[in-house]
Amino acid sequence: MATPDAADDIRLLGRLLGEVIAEQAGQPVYDLVESVRRAAASERRGRSDDALLPLLADVADDAVLPLVRAFSLFSLLANVAEDQAANRAAREARRARAQGDAPGAAPPGTLAAAAATVTATLGAERAAEVARSVLVTPVLTAHPTEVRRRTVLDRTRAIAALLAGRELADDTDTWEEALRVEVTALWQTAILRPQRLRVRDEVNQSLRWYELTLLDALPALQATFEQLFATGTTAPVLRMGSWIGGDRDGNPFVTAEVLRYAVDRQATSAFAAHLARLRRLAIELAMSGNLVAASPAVVDLAERSGDDNPFRANEPYRRAVNGLYARLAATAKGVLGTVPGPEPRAELAAFADVGELAAALAAIEASLCEHGAGRLARARVAPVRRAVEAFGWHLTSVDLRQNADVHEVVVAELLAVAGEHADYLALDEAGRVALLVGELGRARPLVSPWADYGERTAGELAILREAAAAVARLGPEAVPTYVISKAATVSDVLEVAVLCKEVGLLRPADPATGRPLQLGPAIVPLFETIDDLARAGATIADLLALPLWRDAVTAAGGWQEVMLGYSDSNKDGGYLASIWALQAAEQQLVEVTGGAGVRLVLFHGRGGTVGRGGGPAYEAIVAQPAGSVQGRIRLTEQGEVIAARYSDPDHARRGLEALLAAAVEATAASVLPRRPLGGVDPAHHAAAVAMQAASMAAYRDLVYGTEGFVEWFRTATPVREIAELNIGSRPASRTASDRVEDLRAIPWVFSWSQCRIMLPGWYGAGTALADHIDGGGLELLRAMRDGWGWFRSVLDNMAMVLAKTDLAIAARYAALVPDEALRATVFDRLVAEHGRATAALAAITGSDDLLAGQPGLAEELRRRIPYLDPLNHLQVDLLARWRAGDRSRVVEKGILITLNGLATGLRNSG
């Protein structure tokens, strides 16, 4: 059988879904679905201008839900087929290179390519030194754009597994019937969740990715990394993080009890996984002492194992591992109060820390290598050790996050109740800093067990105490980071330090002995708005200028972590202004931290969509200013990106490998001599600064300067209805305000995606680029695109968003705006700016085809857009009925399913 491609698989799945629809919903529904599908495809191919809408105008209520479910599932199955095609192509490329059938080097974004590039640039020894400094931490969040239920995910994974074996099937009829069974099950599975998720549900859902891919992917990539860079055994280069259960910024449902639940569930999963691996290892290492000579270290482990079974008396490795199992079980019991696995064969003392178990496993590896069983050590024992090192007792760290506005109110109450200062909020910044520095040099607590505190203060202290308890039980990696949303000043950082001191997460400085402030979790300011990003360098400079803080950072290893917000900066200033503000902030932070003699860790708050920092991660990381990656990098993984990447082993490996490869290459660039402006050509830099200003002015004039814009947005998009979809625990707004400023960035972007306008990914950029071209700057822009990876990434991502934008469909959503004058005013401006953006891209690239440089994406969109158009048209009609007072089940469910289906089909919707 010839190797199938994505189109083959999509046709097959479409045919099977059609057969299932005819069987399950009846021939009339199937006929309607087919008519709509053919009409949508015909319109997209230019064969008909008015075939689709008449078909959708007269759909009976009893056919609406089957119709929207059908097209939602068409999009979902197309995703599955495309993902499997990508896996197939990657496997074939690896096989060809391994066999010498494929000329050329490994492709960019792979560890093999990164190793070759860095070694050629720096030499093998220095390349290995750079590699040993790398630590990449993807941080999973619970932002509400992942709309797939676990049951739907299970069905799609089963379908993907069958597709993966398509060319190997001996009996195609049997194989196709198995596929038909799964499609039938998918059709009969509810797409929507019956109830809104709780934070606890989000915690449990996140653990699914570890079961499916991450528990195996991280140790495997660690092995590849060490081999390619010849680092020998090294510290983990990948660790996972999470905001789920610790991110309480605007989420009242994250409490101390929820944090405890998250930490315990994750620890339970880690212990269960480690215990299961040790059980398997004990079975596999059954070598006889009569045939091999174990090292004294292994013999000692065996003698102290408590395993006195006579049948294993001469099996030192098995006894040694059984002893490790017993000690790990005792550790789990001490931490969790239970053993998530079979009871051990003996009662032994718990491990002092994770390193003790890892060292014992390393001793077993070394012993195996001594008697010619090195391949057994590498294949069986090393993965267990690497998993222990990567996941520890905690599985994934939990970051705390809260808004700076909350911290200042809590600190003010503590100071007032303690009699230290009656009105902290009335102090200027210098006064606040002086007071807080003084508090961080005193051992006495502010909090009294005899005082009464407000609900907010009591709640914040309870969460911090729970975090301190988690660190005590599981180690500092359990809660390593505290992120401060809306950070803008030095006092925002010091307020969190004071709160951490109150619960024992941070030890105060001792001026008498000279002991510096001892930091616990890294306290990380998050700069989110355009103005805050512009001041980020100055704020960190002021922070590091404080002797108290500078000494604390030095004592903690010399790392200063800073988080950059992609979402709110985009909502604040638009796409081009935001993306340049982030780039400029990174340049400033590199200079400031370098001047202070500390190393910089950047934490990138990226979302799934381009408007929230999305797009290919490899290209984004390597395009950062030189010096901005100094070994360590953290970045959020959000929304539908998580399921797309971590539900499939091949996708998980490729995605994580790309992050590692980019981190190595960017770190290697940071050790080379630093050039001014982050290595950017001064003319290019000046052009970017000018375009940021023009882009931001155009964007803010529309969004913040147009009377009635908020009304237009709330009526032309389904933002109000999105709040009803059961896809997350968090409210859509931080407050009850209707202002754009108070709306969360995720529903803001999600709404624009649904109506196919995609405004956060391009508005304002068209004006900036067009102005530059009109001023004679076309050749400069072309040179920027050819010679500057950051600018090329900006244009490519914008082209992708513009290709997904459809103004004809957007016009139907605009018709939902009751005020005709307002409707026309805003929509006409959208059309004009879209025209400027597409014309500018065509001039720069020399092609009218937006995706001329991305043929794979162009083909994907060509296949999937006809499935999305009917959903958009149906959604508009259903929104109109809902807003007219029709609260029928058909209308309510229909809206929610179309939201789901469009998010699935667009893929990077939030």
Side-chain angles (χ1 to χ4, degrees):
M1 176 186 292
T3 301
D5 60 13
D8 294 328
D9 286 344
I10 289 173
R11 280 192 294 271
L12 172 63
L13 291 173
R15 174 173 63 81
L16 293 177
L17 179 59
E19 292 172 4
V20 168
I21 291 170
E23 174 187 274
Q24 301 289 315
Q27 191 66 33
V29 170
Y30 169 75
D31 291 341
L32 174 62
V33 169
E34 274 297 286
S35 297
V36 170
R37 184 187 65 80
R38 285 194 296 267
S42 180
E43 283 195 4
R44 282 290 164 180
R45 295 183 185 122
R47 297 174 183 169
S48 171
D49 292 331
D50 193 25
L52 183 57
L53 280 178
L55 276 173
L56 298 175
D58 298 321
V59 177
D61 273 8
D62 61 357
V64 168
L65 294 182
L67 188 60
V68 295
R69 293 188 75 250
F71 281 93
S72 295
L73 293 179
F74 274 134
S75 295
L76 180 58
L77 292 174
N79 289 353
V80 174
E82 288 170 355
D83 290 347
Q84 287 309 304
N87 288 345
R88 196 180 292 124
R91 286 194 298 269
E92 290 175 356
R94 285 197 303 270
R95 188 182 306 117
R97 288 197 302 274
Q99 295 173 350
D101 297 332
T110 61
L111 283 173
T117 299
V118 174
T119 301
T121 304
L122 301 179
E125 185 175 342
R126 201 170 184 198
E129 181 182 342
V130 164
R132 280 191 289 269
S133 73
V134 166
L135 176 60
V136 176
T137 307
V139 179
L140 306 187
T141 75
H143 287 294
T145 60
E146 171 44 49
V147 293
R148 272 184 277 181
R149 299 175 62 213
R150 175 169 176 167
T151 49
V152 174
L153 177 65
D154 289 342
R155 299 281 61 74
T156 55
R157 291 189 68 254
I159 292 168
L162 286 166
L163 290 180
R166 181 177 184 180
E167 62 265 42
L168 301 177
D170 294 327
D171 184 344
T172 55
D173 289 340
T174 301
W175 173 83
E176 188 171 303
E177 180 58 24
L179 199 56
R180 185 179 286 104
V181 167
E182 294 298 340
V183 173
T184 302
L186 182 61
W187 176 258
Q188 294 188 352
T189 298
I191 294 175
L192 301 178
R193 299 185 179 98
Q195 296 177 327
R196 180 177 291 277
L197 283 179
R198 302 169 300 167
V199 182
R200 292 170 181 245
D201 300 319
E202 291 169 338
V203 170
N204 293 326
Q205 183 169 284
S206 73
L207 294 177
R208 179 69 166 154
W209 314 127
Y210 291 85
E211 299 168 13
L212 295 177
T213 61
L214 291 171
L215 285 170
D216 293 324
L218 266 66
L221 279 168
Q222 180 78 25
T224 301
F225 190 93
E226 292 173 4
Q227 179 184 10
L228 285 171
F229 289 96
T231 59
T233 301
T234 190
V237 294
L238 270 170
R239 288 189 185 274
M240 299 303 298
S242 175
W243 277 7
I244 307 170
D247 179 11
R248 57 201 190 279
D249 177 19
N251 191 342
F253 306 112
V254 175
T255 62
E257 292 76 18
V258 166
L259 176 60
R260 174 68 181 239
Y261 179 83
V263 169
D264 282 359
R265 282 288 292 117
Q266 290 163 183
T268 299
S269 294
F271 279 113
H274 297 330
L275 289 166
R277 287 176 188 263
L278 288 177
R279 285 201 309 275
R280 289 195 300 271
L281 195 60
I283 295 171
E284 292 162 346
L285 300 185
M287 291 81 73
S288 169
N290 294 328
L291 301 175
V292 299
S295 69
V298 170
V299 171
D300 182 57
L301 287 172
E303 291 302 313
R304 292 189 287 112
S305 69
D307 183 359
D308 56 4
N309 189 308
F311 295 104
R312 290 187 292 275
N314 204 23
E315 294 176 343
Y317 287 102
R318 178 170 282 181
R319 292 172 61 214
V321 174
N322 282 338
L324 298 182
Y325 182 96
R327 294 194 65 189
L328 184 58
T331 308
K333 194 160 191 177
V335 170
L336 302 170
T338 187
V339 178
E343 289 294 322
R345 301 176 186 277
E347 290 189 13
L348 300 181
F351 289 111
D353 53 38
V354 172
E356 195 176 359
L357 173 56
L361 290 166
I364 292 174
E365 286 180 72
S367 179
L368 288 168
C369 291
E370 289 172 5
H371 57 69
R375 62 173 55 91
L376 190 61
R378 291 187 293 274
R380 296 287 187 265
V381 186
V384 180
R385 173 182 54 77
R386 292 190 180 105
V388 166
E389 291 169 340
F391 299 112
W393 307 150
H394 62 286
L395 185 72
T396 175
S397 61
V398 178
D399 290 354
L400 302 180
R401 185 170 80 131
Q402 182 55 285
N403 197 297
D405 293 342
V406 173
H407 298 140
E408 66 177 10
V409 171
V410 171
V411 168
E413 182 174 359
L414 296 183
L415 291 168
V417 171
E420 289 296 318
H421 199 284
D423 194 357
Y424 170 78
L425 297 179
L427 293 173
D428 61 13
E429 175 64 9
R432 290 187 181 193
V433 169
L435 179 56
L436 296 169
V437 167
E439 283 300 321
L440 292 170
R442 298 189 184 98
R444 66 101 181 89
L446 281 173
V447 177
S448 168
W450 314 114
D452 293 325
Y453 298 99
E455 183 179 353
R456 172 171 284 179
T457 296
E460 291 298 308
L461 290 173
I463 285 177
L464 285 165
R465 290 190 185 104
E466 190 55 59
V471 168
R473 288 186 296 134
L474 297 165
E477 285 298 326
V479 186
T481 306
Y482 194 122
V483 176
I484 309 166
S485 300
K486 290 184 66 177
T489 63
V490 170
S491 64
D492 290 335
V493 177
L494 299 182
E495 285 161 1
V496 173
V498 167
L499 294 176
C500 288
K501 178 182 80 96
E502 290 304 309
V503 299
L505 279 171
L506 176 153
R507 189 174 184 184
D510 186 350
T513 64
R515 185 190 70 215
L517 185 72
Q518 295 182 355
L519 300 174
I523 300 175
V524 181
L526 165 54
F527 299 107
E528 300 180 84
T529 67
I530 298 290
D531 287 345
D532 289 344
L533 286 167
R535 294 193 299 266
T539 302
I540 295 301
D542 290 344
L543 181 65
L544 293 173
L546 287 176
L548 174 101
W549 190 262
R550 179 69 180 76
D551 292 346
V553 169
T554 301
W559 293 97
Q560 176 63 57
E561 187 170 336
V562 178
M563 186 170 184
L564 303 176
Y566 289 68
S567 304
D568 284 296
S569 59
N570 179 287
K571 184 160 63 75
D572 186 28
Y575 173 60
L576 189 57
S578 167
I579 209 73
W580 176 250
L582 289 156
Q583 188 83 350
E586 291 180 35
Q587 292 176 8
Q588 295 171 15
L589 290 166
V590 168
E591 297 303 321
V592 164
T593 53
V598 304
R599 291 174 290 177
L600 176 65
V601 185
L602 284 177
F603 187 176
H604 297 272
R606 304 174 80 236
T609 186
V610 168
R612 299 187 56 245
Y618 170 79
E619 288 82 354
I621 293 171
V622 297
Q624 290 179 71
S628 59
V629 181
Q630 299 172 21
R632 298 184 183 183
I633 186 170
R634 305 180 86 223
L635 67 164
T636 53
E637 298 273 51
Q638 300 181 7
E640 69 284 339
V641 170
I642 295 176
R645 176 168 293 167
Y646 297 121
S647 62
D648 178 90
D650 286 340
H651 274 202
R653 168 138 190 156
R654 286 204 305 277
L656 292 170
E657 183 176 7
L659 294 179
L660 271 179
V664 172
E665 292 178 29
T667 300
S670 74
V671 305
L672 298 173
R674 190 172 300 163
R675 293 180 291 163
L677 302 177
V680 179
D681 183 293
H684 297 177
H685 187 279
V689 171
M691 287 190 291
Q692 180 199 26
S695 174
M696 183 168 175
Y699 173 86
R700 288 192 65 84
D701 184 57
L702 173 73
V703 175
Y704 296 97
T706 301
E707 186 176 353
F709 179 82
V710 172
E711 179 189 347
W712 195 97
F713 167 66
R714 290 190 174 275
T715 50
T717 77
V719 63
R720 291 180 297 187
E721 290 76 16
I722 284 171
E724 302 302 319
L725 186 56
N726 296 322
I727 53 178
S729 66
R730 176 178 303 205
S733 294
R734 286 186 171 94
T735 71
S737 164
D738 277 345
R739 300 190 316 156
V740 172
E741 295 94 322
D742 295 321
L743 184 70
R744 288 194 171 276
I746 295 165
W748 166 258
V749 172
F750 198 62
S751 303
W752 291 114
S753 299
Q754 287 284 314
C755 62
R756 303 279 286 280
I757 296 176
M758 314 281 185
L759 175 143
W762 56 267
Y763 198 91
T767 292
L769 293 170
D771 287 353
H772 218 70
I773 292 170
D774 292 343
L778 178 58
E779 291 307 316
L780 178 63
L781 293 176
R782 287 174 173 170
M784 291 168 66
R785 182 180 184 273
D786 293 339
W788 188 5
W790 172 82
F791 192 64
R792 183 168 53 254
S793 175
V794 167
L795 295 183
D796 287 348
N797 286 337
M798 189 170 77
M800 177 188 72
V801 174
L802 287 168
K804 292 183 178 182
T805 300
D806 190 305
L807 294 179
I809 287 176
R812 292 209 67 217
Y813 283 86
L816 295 170
V817 178
D819 185 326
E820 292 184 13
L822 176 62
R823 178 196 311 162
T825 296
V826 174
F827 191 70
D828 288 350
R829 293 183 64 176
L830 294 175
V831 171
E833 182 68 5
H834 184 271
R836 284 188 285 270
T838 53
L841 281 176
I844 296 168
T845 62
S847 173
D848 290 332
D849 182 356
L850 287 167
L851 298 178
Q854 305 176 69
L857 176 60
E859 178 62 19
E860 288 182 12
L861 290 180
R862 185 192 65 77
R863 286 193 296 257
R864 71 177 57 248
I865 290 298
Y867 296 139
L868 302 182
D869 292 348
L871 291 174
N872 279 120
H873 291 305
L874 287 164
Q875 186 182 88
V876 170
D877 293 337
L878 291 166
L879 288 172
R881 291 175 62 179
W882 179 262
R883 294 172 185 179
D886 186 342
R887 294 297 188 264
S888 64
R889 175 181 178 275
V890 166
V891 173
E892 180 182 9
K893 293 296 183 185
I895 290 171
L896 298 181
I897 296 173
T898 58
L899 291 170
N900 183 300
L902 288 166
T904 298
L906 291 167
R907 305 209 87 173
N908 56 349
S909 57

